[in-house]
Every structure is written in C-alpha cells, then in structure tokens.
Amino acid sequence: MLAYIIRRLLLIIPTLFGIMVLNFVIVQFAPGGPVEQLVAELTGTAVDATARIGGAEGEAGLPTGGGFGGDGAYRGAEGLDPEFVKELERLYGFDKPPLERFVTMIANYLVFDFGDSFYRDRSVIDLVIEKLPVSISLGLWSTLLIYMISIPLGIAKAVNDGERFDIWSSAVVIVGHAIPGFLFAILLVVVFAGGSYLDWFPLRGLVSENWAQMSWPDRIVDYFWHMALPTLALTIGGFAALTMLTKNSFLEEIHKQYVVTARAKGLGQTRVLYRHVFRNGMLIVIAGFPDALIDILFAGALLTEVIFSLDGLGLLGFESVVNRDYPVVFGTLFFFTLIGLVVNILRDVTYVLVDPRIDFEGRGN
C-alpha cells in the first residue's frame, strides 16, 4: 500500500501541470482582461457588472504583480496614450508572450511563489491562508454531519424497505433533494438570523469580533454558534443523495446469497448487518466521499458563503474570476486541484481500512 500511495503522490505533479496548462490556454481566449477593465474604467466605458464584488480589500491602485493571461484587445483604449497602455501591460506582465508568462508562473510555483493579487495589496498565498479556514470549516462539518445522518438513515431504510418508516422518510429525502441548499439558507436567515422573526444566530463572519478576548470554552461555543446555520443549510441540501445511495447499496447486499447463508446459520440481524453487510455496503458510500467533500467546499459552499457573509476560498475564487485577477485565479485553482487529488488518495486508503481484501498494488494501479 505504501508503494501505491507514493505512486499516487508522484502522479499529482503531472496532473497539476496538465490542469494548469489547460486553464492557462483557456484564459488566453477569455475577453475582458485586467488591463482592458482598467482602461474601460479610465475611459468611462466600464460596465457595473464587472465591478469587483464587495470591493477589493486594501485597494492598491496600479498593481505590481506579473500577468498570467488576457486577450490583449483593449477596446476603448483609443482615447489613451499608447505609451500609457503599454505601461499598463508591463505592470500587469502582459508585455511578454504567453509561453514566457506560463514558464515564469510554473517556475515561481515550484518555489511556492504564487504572486500578488492585481487588486488587493496582498500575496495570493496570504489570501488563500486567510480564506481557507472558512471553506474547510464549512466543508468538513457539513460533510461529517451529512454522513452521520445519511448512513444510519440509509441503513434503516434498507432494513425496513417498503415499510411505513421507509415511505415517510423517503418523503423527507425527496423534499430535501428537490429544494436547493441555498433556498434553505435563505429560509434559515429569515427565520433565525434576524430576517423577519427570530434573531438567535449571527449572520456575518466565522467568529465574533471579540473572539480573541474570549476564554477557550467561550471561543468554541462562539465558533459553533456562527457555523450552525451555514452547516445546517449545506447538510439539508446534501444528505438526500447519500441517504438513497446508502439504502440502495445495503439493500443490494442484504439480498445476496452470503447474507441468506449467514441468517440460515442462526446469526442475528444486527450481527449479519454490521459484521457482514456493512463492510461491503460501505464501499460505494466511501467512494462518494471525495466528491461530496469537494462539491461542498467549492460548489455548494459558494452561495452559502455569500448568503451568510462568510469570506471563504470559494467566494475568493469566484470574485477573482469575475475581476480577472489571474494570480488569484490560478492560485486558488492550484489549491482546489491539490486538495481534490489528496482527498482521492485518502479515499483509496479508506477503502483498504474498510475492506483489507482490496489490494491496489496487486492490481497495478
């Protein structure tokens, strides 16, 4: 297993490189680069929809970082001095050909230099480190809560298939699956966060402003107080699919011959279920763990971060795409991809822990 893990870790390098190449090429054809946006602002032709969401923290005027992409077509620049436009290109790093910019970016990445944001007076690594705890908190607690609810519920539905409990719980699951998580988030804000009814939970930030002055027990309570509604919103929107996956997986195993044989030998329902069925039924559930975690971290959590004013990594990546902040775009993409690849390796390790009969090395993977 150790050799397999080492091989998978080494494969991360070419995978990351290939993804960065693909996205760099795509960016070259994306209209409205940072220079074009700045020129549009200077000439009064900027569109409000492209304005930076929420404002850039620590606006620093003209940037000093190197450029990564852009289309090089600056509409509306006719009214500006061509030398001034060329100076802007140089400041953003667009005075160099794309290949040279890409090679420079990869060389900097090798020494963990991700550059500086175009619109924030901060380095990319500092921004990622600042936003990462929010996204990890949302993703980790929501995923754990989803699994803690879905697995027991799915097993219970499989055991009681077709009975009253299965029917009524299926109705709840269908409602949870049909309504998007962000609508639950809005409902929670309206009801419990000072919207129209109760004001029990805070609506902004991961912790309170005076968190540093609190005692450790109060800090823990304050942290979970802020995380309660966002986590609940993501859990409600995500437990339905995993519940049905768990039910179908266990239902398939329950009707297999080895279960019938175990019951014929006089083994009790609990022993058959958790000693024989559980190990096989959990494999497909574990297989979905990386996708569930990544979806919550970088897809489902985005709207939740906006609704609850949580400044996380997903929101940072989205804002950087809208603003054409290419250092942040590629920096967050790098971390998104790296986390996804590492989580997939952890999935394979968990496979072996659940069922030691699985041998990835013997399959030549």
Side-chain angles (χ1 to χ4, degrees), residues 280-301:
N280 295 325
M282 281 297 294
L283 289 177
I284 191 172
V285 177
I286 292 174
F289 180 83
D291 293 334
L293 180 59
I294 298 302
D295 286 345
I296 291 176
L297 274 173
F298 309 128

Side-chain angles (χ1 to χ4, degrees), residues 43-90:
T43 56
T45 59
V47 181
D48 291 340
T50 63
R52 289 184 280 278
I53 297 175
E57 301 173 4
E59 190 76 20
L62 294 179
T64 58
F68 295 94
D71 59 358
Y74 309 120
R75 295 183 298 273
E78 293 81 358
L80 297 177
D81 186 352
E83 293 298 326
F84 177 71
V85 176
K86 290 182 179 180
E87 180 65 16
L88 291 180
E89 295 177 10
R90 186 188 65 81

Side-chain angles (χ1 to χ4, degrees), residues 262 265-278:
K265 293 181 178 179
L267 297 180
Q269 173 75 1
T270 302
R271 188 175 181 182
V272 171
L273 186 62
Y274 289 99
R275 187 167 181 176
H276 297 276
V277 177
F278 187 83

Side-chain angles (χ1 to χ4, degrees), residues 242-315:
L242 184 61
T243 298
M244 297 309 299
L245 178 65
T246 304
K247 175 192 173 181
N248 294 332
S249 177
F250 276 78
L251 197 60
E252 181 181 355
E253 294 295 326
I254 287 174
H255 291 93
K256 288 186 176 180
Q257 184 61 43
Y258 74 92
V259 176
V260 177
T261 302
R263 287 173 175 171
K265 293 181 178 179
L267 297 180
Q269 173 75 1
T270 302
R271 188 175 181 182
V272 171
L273 186 62
Y274 289 99
R275 187 167 181 176
H276 297 276
V277 177
F278 187 83
R279 183 171 62 182
N280 295 325
M282 281 297 294
L283 289 177
I284 191 172
V285 177
I286 292 174
F289 180 83
D291 293 334
L293 180 59
I294 298 302
D295 286 345
I296 291 176
L297 274 173
F298 309 128
L302 175 59
L303 291 175
T304 303
E305 289 178 7
V306 175
I307 293 171
F308 290 98
S309 300
L310 296 173
D311 196 6
L313 196 58
L315 183 58

Side-chain angles (χ1 to χ4, degrees), residues 154-209:
I155 294 175
K157 287 175 63 62
V159 173
N160 300 280
D161 182 44
E163 299 181 6
R164 181 175 298 179
F165 171 79
D166 180 42
I167 296 173
W168 283 106
S169 60
S170 293
V172 176
V173 169
I174 291 173
V175 171
H177 184 69
I179 302 178
F182 72 90
L183 289 182
F184 280 111
I186 295 174
L187 176 64
L188 292 175
V189 169
V190 171
V191 177
F192 298 108
S196 300
Y197 299 96
L198 305 174
D199 191 10
W200 290 353
F201 295 92
L203 188 57
R204 181 177 296 275
L206 191 62
V207 293
S208 299
E209 294 182 358

Side-chain angles (χ1 to χ4, degrees), residues 312-332:
L313 196 58
L315 183 58
L316 174 66
F318 175 75
E319 291 181 352
S320 65
V321 171
V322 173
N323 297 327
R324 302 300 192 269
D325 195 350
Y326 292 128
V328 180
V329 170
F330 287 107
T332 53

